[in-house]
């Protein structure tokens, strides 16, 4: 579920205010629109209590991982864009974080692949620049997306013709981007950097952050690890800024 929670301070404590989108929905990314809209992008597949895969069977760990018999035959991770259990990406917006939210609009309606981790920044003219990921046989790979009008799904372009943005990044790659523009007009993104100590076994436990930048939002440079240590098991997910 996607849950709305609020707090008087960024560090919490948070109170649960309610469910925004029900089972199965996750990976919300909320950004501001040109007229101060709250614009939420998220992954959803409204289907059943457990969805296509039941990861809480008696033979499963029920820890968020997918066991060998949890999913129907043919729905496991497959190379490139051949997965059968696509989780669509949606957009909804509101003038208030408390809602009401607009009717969800699917973006990339013809796409068949993994959850995209869609992470946009909406520009003042209503256009959009975003990063998204796809699971391939090399793990999670990041691509560019743009839109001429953030409210018009037909203008969204995945730019697969450009190829992945960071081809030199090793397996299992990187995921969960967040994009913003700094005071100089430069684009930045931070990621869950999964290329490190546990890359071949438990990459989802690597508490390491990656960083990339772009001067125009189109051509990106991955600068490497911004926090954490990808070479050891002793890692931290708390960032201490130099200015306190």
């Amino acid at each position: 579920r996607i849950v709305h929670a609020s707090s008087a301070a960024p560090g919490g404590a948070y109170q649960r205010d309610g469910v925004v989108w029900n089972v199965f929905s996750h990976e919300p990314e909320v950004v501001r629109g040109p007229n101060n809209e709250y614009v939420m992008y998220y992954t959803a597949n409204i289907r059943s209590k457990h969805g296509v895969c039941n990861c809480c069977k008696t033979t499963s760990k029920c820890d968020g991982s997918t066991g060998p018999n949890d999913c129907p035959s043919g729905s496991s991770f497959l190379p490139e864009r051949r997965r059968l259990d696509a989780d669509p990406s949606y957009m909804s917006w509101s003038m208030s974080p408390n809602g009401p939210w607009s009717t969800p609009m699917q973006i990339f309606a013809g796409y068949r692949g993994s959850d995209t981790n869609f992470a946009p920044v909406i520009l003042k003219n209503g256009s959009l620049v975003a990063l998204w990921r796809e699971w391939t046989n090399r793990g999670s790979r990041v691509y560019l997306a743009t839109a001429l009008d953030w409210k018009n799904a037909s203008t969204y372009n995945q730019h697969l013709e450009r190829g992945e943005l960071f081809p030199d990044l090793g397996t299992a790659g990187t995921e969960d981007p967040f994009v913003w523009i700094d005071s100089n007009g430069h684009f930045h993104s931070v990621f869950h950097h999964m290329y490190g100590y546990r890359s071949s076994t438990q990459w989802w436990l690597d508490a390491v952050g990656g960083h990339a930048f772009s001067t125009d939002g189109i051509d990106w440079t991955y600068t490497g690890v911004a926090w954490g240590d990808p070479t050891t098991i002793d890692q931290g997910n708390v960032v201490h800024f130099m200015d306190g």
Side-chain angles (χ1 to χ4, degrees):
R1 296 176 177 86
I2 293 176
V3 173
H4 177 213
S6 59
S7 171
Y14 281 81
Q15 68 175 20
R16 179 185 175 115
D17 295 324
V19 176
V20 181
W21 306 111
N22 221 313
V23 176
F24 175 78
S25 56
H26 69 153
E27 297 175 351
E29 184 103 17
V30 180
V31 298
R32 300 306 292 270
N35 297 309
N36 289 322
E37 301 96 338
Y38 292 83
V39 187
M40 182 191 301
Y41 293 84
Y42 63 101
T43 296
N45 198 331
I46 308 303
R47 44 205 184 189
S48 68
K49 181 179 180 180
H50 292 291
V52 172
C53 301
N54 183 355
C55 301
C56 286
K57 294 179 180 178
T58 56
T59 57
S60 304
K61 297 178 181 179
C62 203
D63 63 353
S65 62
T66 305
N69 299 311
D70 291 347
C71 300
S73 176
S75 65
S76 59
F77 289 121
L78 296 175
E80 303 303 329
R81 278 161 288 281
R82 293 191 292 111
R83 284 187 59 198
L84 302 180
D85 57 334
D87 289 323
S89 299
Y90 290 92
M91 183 276 287
S92 178
W93 64 276
S94 172
M95 294 307 300
S96 165
N98 299 310
W101 294 88
S102 68
T103 300
M105 177 183 72
Q106 185 177 350
I107 61 173
F108 308 151
Y111 168 73
R112 292 294 178 268
S114 63
D115 49 326
T116 63
N117 291 178
F118 191 80
V121 58
I122 299 175
L123 307 182
K124 293 180 180 179
N125 64 2
S127 65
L128 172 151
V129 172
L131 301 182
W132 64 281
R133 70 86 179 266
E134 160 70 309
W135 272 100
T136 75
N137 54 4
R138 297 181 60 235
S140 179
R141 320 309 297 184
V142 175
Y143 298 81
L144 173 73
T146 61
L148 296 177
D149 178 0
W150 69 271
K151 282 189 175 181
N152 187 344
S154 68
T155 70
Y156 282 68
N157 188 341
Q158 288 181 286
H159 291 289
L160 289 169
E161 78 284 352
R162 295 178 62 91
E164 62 179 90
L165 291 182
F166 314 123
D168 294 336
L169 191 63
T171 305
T174 191
E175 66 175 0
D176 295 332
F178 177 82
V179 183
W180 76 98
I181 301 176
D182 68 17
S183 59
N184 295 317
H186 298 155
F187 293 75
H188 295 267
S189 182
V190 288
F191 305 82
H192 173 201
H193 180 93
M194 300 188 294
Y195 180 44
Y197 182 83
R198 299 184 179 94
S199 292
S200 61
T201 55
Q202 292 178 300
W203 40 263
W204 59 90
L205 297 178
D206 282 336
V208 175
H211 169 262
F213 76 92
S214 171
T215 57
D216 59 6
I218 304 300
D219 296 307
W220 287 80
T221 299
Y222 197 86
T223 65
V225 172
W227 69 87
D229 186 348
T231 64
T232 70
I233 197 169
D234 184 17
Q235 304 169 54
N237 57 6
V238 177
V239 178
H240 298 282
F241 291 96
M242 294 177 66
D243 61 0

